[in-house]
Every structure is written in C-alpha cells, then in structure tokens.
Amino acid sequence: MSSYKLVYIPIEKGPRAGIVVDDKLFDAAALTRKAAYASMLDIMNDWASAKGTLKKAADAAAKSKLKSRPIGKAQAPATDHVSVGDLLRWRQLHRPT
C-alpha cells in the first residue's frame, strides 16, 4: 500500500493537480486516467469517489509506464497556492443544502 500526496504542478497554462508517490511526481489526470482530475478543485468536488481512485492509482504508480519526475526537481508552488485543506473547507461551506 503506497501513500501519496496531492500537489500542484506549475505549468504554463496554469497549475495542474499532481500526485507524489515514493518521491516521484505524476500528473493526477494521467495516473488516474480521469481527465477531470487535472484540477485540484475537481478532485475535491468528487472526493467521495476520488479518494479510492487516488489510492488505487498510488498503489499502481510503481508499475506505471507514465512519465514522472523526481520530486526534488519539481518547482515549489507559488506562495499564493491553495492547500487541500483550504479546498475541503471551501467545499464544505459551499455544499448545496
């Protein structure tokens, strides 16, 4: 069972959601095979399903042939980034009643 961390990947078109597994950074949408998971907010909006999908993807990451990069070479996010905790709180506050 692999643990993982959700991170932002800074790219020219804007940040994408990434998954760090064993010091390797993967694009979240590519690793999970869900195009909607390119955005951290979309992952949080689908959290009931996403947490299982992300766990399975993290477990399969070691055997994946997807391109990854060592986390040490990834750029640190800008200081104005949003944490996963912030996104979860926002989701709770804006949940339809």
Side-chain angles (χ1 to χ4, degrees), residues 59-73:
D59 289 343
K63 297 178 185 175
S64 174
K65 294 183 181 181
L66 288 175
K67 191 175 179 181
S68 68
R69 56 182 170 168
I71 191 66
K73 294 189 177 185

Side-chain angles (χ1 to χ4, degrees), residues 44-97:
M44 294 297 107
N45 283 334
D46 188 38
W47 189 245
S49 174
K51 61 185 172 184
T53 301
L54 292 167
K55 183 185 175 314
K56 287 178 188 174
D59 289 343
K63 297 178 185 175
S64 174
K65 294 183 181 181
L66 288 175
K67 191 175 179 181
S68 68
R69 56 182 170 168
I71 191 66
K73 294 189 177 185
Q75 291 181 333
T79 56
D80 61 346
H81 72 281
V82 178
S83 72
V84 172
D86 291 337
L87 289 170
L88 285 171
R89 281 188 291 281
W90 179 90
R91 183 172 174 255
Q92 287 176 339
L93 291 172
H94 294 87
R95 185 175 293 177
T97 54

Side-chain angles (χ1 to χ4, degrees), residues 7-11 14-19 25-28 69 74-75:
V7 297
Y8 279 109
I9 303 172
I11 61 170
R16 287 183 63 90
I19 302 175
L25 177 63
F26 296 90
D27 180 270
R69 56 182 170 168
Q75 291 181 333

